[in-house]
Amino acid sequence: MPPRHASPNVAKGITPDAIISAAAQLTRDKGLEKWTIRDLAQVLDVYSTVIYHHVGDRNTVANAVVDRVVAQYRIPEPDLPWRAWWRQFLSNLREVFIQYPGTARRVALNGPSPESGGPTIDRAMRTLLRVGFEQDEAAMACRVLIIQGCLFISHEDDRRHTSGVTDDLSGTRGTQAPHFAGRESLQESVQDRLKGPEKNRDYFGELFDYAIDRMIDGVDKRLEEIRGV
Amino acid sequence: MPPRHASPNVAKGITPDAIISAAAQLTRDKGLEKWTIRDLAQVLDVYSTVIYHHVGDRNTVANAVVDRVVAQYRIPEPDLPWRAWWRQFLSNLREVFIQYPGTARRVALNGPSPESGGPTIDRAMRTLLRVGFEQDEAAMACRVLIIQGCLFISHEDDRRHTSGVTDDLSGTRGTQAPHFAGRESLQESVQDRLKGPEKNRDYFGELFDYAIDRMIDGVDKRLEEIRGV
DNA sequence: ACCTGAACACCGTTCAAGT
DNA sequence: ACCTGAACACCGTTCAAGT
């Protein structure tokens, strides 16, 4: 089971770049953790072992894809007010990562490589240092904002690519649910949201925006405390 | 390769409960996504197929473990002020989930079953409705708080069980890092944190607390806006 | 240096057969 | 109803061998 077409010649000019591009495309299509090294080999029309030879194991290929995705990211205008900057920053993050399901999770876990993510992290830190955080807390806030953003995107990836939009907390899993008032409210409002397809259009986007706005507000409140002292 | 000891009799009184208990123990030891159905069978000293017969496939067993973990959770005193209640709520959540790596991720994704998670979600919703959120926004805030909490715990699981405490954003992955001022600050402060083992004792705990405090503050700020109108 | 092809040690899951 | 044992269709990864 080598190449698709029976030709035994094949794959002369195979390059690391071509491998990573193909992997990136597979990631677009099915998600970073969903394709196998054998899928990738088949798409490239080569034996699995040439991937090992030119790039490395699955993990190495996956990280290379992540790097490529991170490199696509464009930093917001540096002269924005810090809260607007961060909202823009995290929205852009979502826009890029959402196209490559599974990459956000890896970034949350391993961080970007310094080459691809360096300047961005640098800018992010500066915005916080500039408004008055001292170094340790700026670092902590920076971490928390980015990690939470990535995790939320990663969560969206997962939800999108398993079932449909079943809810997370309203409980679709078990069999017999006793009635609880608060719980019912939760379920109702989700069902509202699920009724019109046009209202549901960007359920995840709405959730994401709400989450990051709360987070940024929370950091802002902390900033006021610091300034008050 | 059936039982460990050569006896071919074995495993008379195997019950679903025993299977799930063993799976829970394996989850404690190595994480929900790290044990295999074959591991579980070996621990129980039975063939893999009896697990299918008594409980179901891996996914079913895993969800049963999650349910059992969620059931361990104790709800905070209902008469706490809402912010204290939520801080307590999420801290408790971490304390339980952290002992069973991988369960938090599943809860974020699928939600708890209504039986095991119902009363808790109910209480959580009530705290938000009581302080003045109308239903839709209370549901959204509730979701966001719980999901973010679970995701952060899940992230901690992952970080703990891969490398050591390498940092996420300070960039330990690539090879040649150019210098950036903000970036360097980030790295320094992490390294500070890594110096004394006693200071590092609860790096993740500190990060978690900071994250949920910011989140709760953010929700509080939103509440002030609503009340102001 | 690069590609071939087979093989290894795993997975989850299924199924015919026993009792 | 429950357990046995083998098998299937996958994985990632390695390696001796070719050119």
Side-chain angles (χ1 to χ4, degrees):
Chain A
M1 45 305 255
R4 254 196 322 270
H5 47 71
S7 70
N9 57 327
V10 298
K12 309 283 293 189
I14 196 78
T15 65
D17 187 83
I19 292 172
I20 296 165
S21 293
Q25 187 57 50
L26 277 177
T27 301
R28 259 186 122 92
D29 295 341
K30 32 200 305 190
L32 190 60
E33 312 300 342
K34 299 290 183 60
W35 53 261
T36 70
I37 215 82
R38 282 168 152 100
D39 289 338
L40 182 54
Q42 202 193 38
V43 162
L44 287 164
D45 207 27
V46 299
Y47 284 88
S48 308
T49 45
V50 333
I51 294 165
Y52 281 84
H53 187 263
H54 285 288
V55 181
D57 61 15
R58 208 199 110 90
N59 202 47
T60 306
V61 178
N63 285 338
V65 171
V66 172
D67 267 13
R68 194 164 286 204
V69 173
V70 171
Q72 285 182 23
Y73 183 79
R74 288 292 149 240
I75 306 175
E77 297 295 321
D79 50 344
L80 285 171
W82 82 271
R83 303 169 85 233
W85 188 91
W86 271 94
R87 218 173 294 126
Q88 187 69 231
F89 175 79
L90 294 172
S91 290
N92 290 1
L93 216 58
R94 175 166 177 265
E95 218 172 305
V96 174
F97 280 148
I98 218 72
Q99 297 181 270
Y100 297 87
T103 51
R105 184 165 152 86
R106 287 216 176 211
V107 170
L109 193 56
N110 309 120
S113 73
E115 306 91 77
S116 59
T120 305
I121 304 288
D122 182 57
R123 273 260 173 268
M125 270 299 284
R126 276 187 211 277
T127 62
L128 294 172
L129 292 170
R130 195 178 43 193
V131 289
F133 283 109
E134 43 79 47
Q135 198 159 286
D136 268 16
E137 184 161 355
M140 180 122 72
C142 191
R143 253 182 263 285
V144 163
L145 286 167
I146 296 179
I147 291 176
Q148 291 282 48
C150 287
L151 288 178
F152 214 87
I153 297 163
S154 151
H155 179 245
E156 185 175 343
D157 292 343
D158 293 340
R159 294 271 297 280
R160 245 186 236 287
H161 290 81
T162 51
S163 51
V165 185
T166 73
D167 190 41
D168 32 47
L169 299 174
S170 58
T172 47
R173 237 179 61 225
T175 48
Q176 46 210 356
H179 273 90
F180 299 104
R183 182 128 227 295
E184 220 170 68
S185 319
L186 218 178
Q187 212 152 11
E188 270 169 32
S189 86
V190 175
Q191 282 168 356
D192 281 357
R193 204 165 294 291
L194 289 177
K195 264 170 202 155
E198 69 287 0
K199 272 191 76 183
N200 186 35
R201 184 164 39 94
D202 200 10
Y203 167 73
F204 286 121
E206 212 178 310
L207 211 61
F208 181 79
D209 287 344
Y210 193 82
I212 66 173
D213 281 343
R214 277 341 109 226
M215 191 82 71
I216 292 170
D217 280 358
V219 173
D220 191 48
K221 192 158 182 177
R222 173 80 187 122
L223 188 60
E224 285 169 13
E225 279 176 39
I226 293 172
R227 281 174 172 157
V229 172
Chain B
M1 42 307 255
R4 259 196 319 270
H5 47 70
S7 69
N9 57 326
V10 298
K12 310 282 293 190
I14 197 77
T15 65
D17 187 83
I19 292 173
I20 295 165
S21 294
Q25 188 56 49
L26 277 177
T27 301
R28 259 186 122 94
D29 295 340
K30 33 200 304 194
L32 190 60
E33 311 301 340
K34 298 291 181 59
W35 52 262
T36 69
I37 214 83
R38 282 169 153 100
D39 289 336
L40 182 54
Q42 202 193 38
V43 163
L44 287 165
D45 206 27
V46 299
Y47 284 89
S48 309
T49 45
V50 333
I51 293 166
Y52 282 84
H53 186 264
H54 285 287
V55 182
D57 61 17
R58 208 203 110 93
N59 201 48
T60 306
V61 178
N63 284 338
V65 171
V66 172
D67 267 12
R68 193 164 287 204
V69 173
V70 171
Q72 284 181 23
Y73 182 77
R74 289 291 149 240
I75 306 175
E77 297 295 323
D79 49 344
L80 285 171
W82 82 272
R83 303 167 87 233
W85 189 90
W86 272 94
R87 220 173 293 123
Q88 187 68 233
F89 175 79
L90 294 172
S91 291
N92 289 3
L93 216 59
R94 176 167 176 265
E95 217 172 305
V96 173
F97 281 148
I98 217 73
Q99 296 181 271
Y100 298 86
T103 51
R105 183 165 153 85
R106 286 216 177 211
V107 171
L109 193 56
N110 308 122
S113 72
E115 306 90 79
S116 60
T120 305
I121 304 288
D122 182 58
R123 273 259 173 268
M125 270 299 283
R126 278 186 210 276
T127 62
L128 294 172
L129 292 171
R130 195 177 43 194
V131 289
F133 283 108
E134 42 79 48
Q135 198 159 286
D136 268 17
E137 182 159 355
M140 180 123 72
C142 190
R143 255 182 262 284
V144 163
L145 285 167
I146 296 180
I147 291 176
Q148 290 283 50
C150 287
L151 289 177
F152 214 88
I153 296 164
S154 151
H155 179 245
E156 185 175 343
D157 291 342
D158 292 341
R159 293 271 297 281
R160 245 185 236 288
H161 290 81
T162 51
S163 52
V165 185
T166 73
D167 190 40
D168 32 46
L169 300 172
S170 57
T172 46
R173 236 180 60 226
T175 48
Q176 47 211 356
H179 273 90
F180 299 103
R183 182 127 228 297
E184 220 169 68
S185 320
L186 218 177
Q187 211 150 12
E188 271 169 30
S189 85
V190 176
Q191 281 168 357
D192 282 355
R193 205 163 293 289
L194 289 177
K195 265 169 201 155
E198 69 289 356
K199 271 190 75 182
N200 185 35
R201 184 164 39 95
D202 200 10
Y203 167 72
F204 286 119
E206 211 178 312
L207 211 59
F208 182 78
D209 288 344
Y210 193 81
I212 66 173
D213 281 344
R214 278 338 109 229
M215 193 80 70
I216 293 170
D217 280 358
V219 172
D220 191 47
K221 192 158 183 175
R222 174 79 187 122
L223 189 60
E224 286 169 13
E225 280 175 40
I226 292 172
R227 280 176 172 157
V229 172

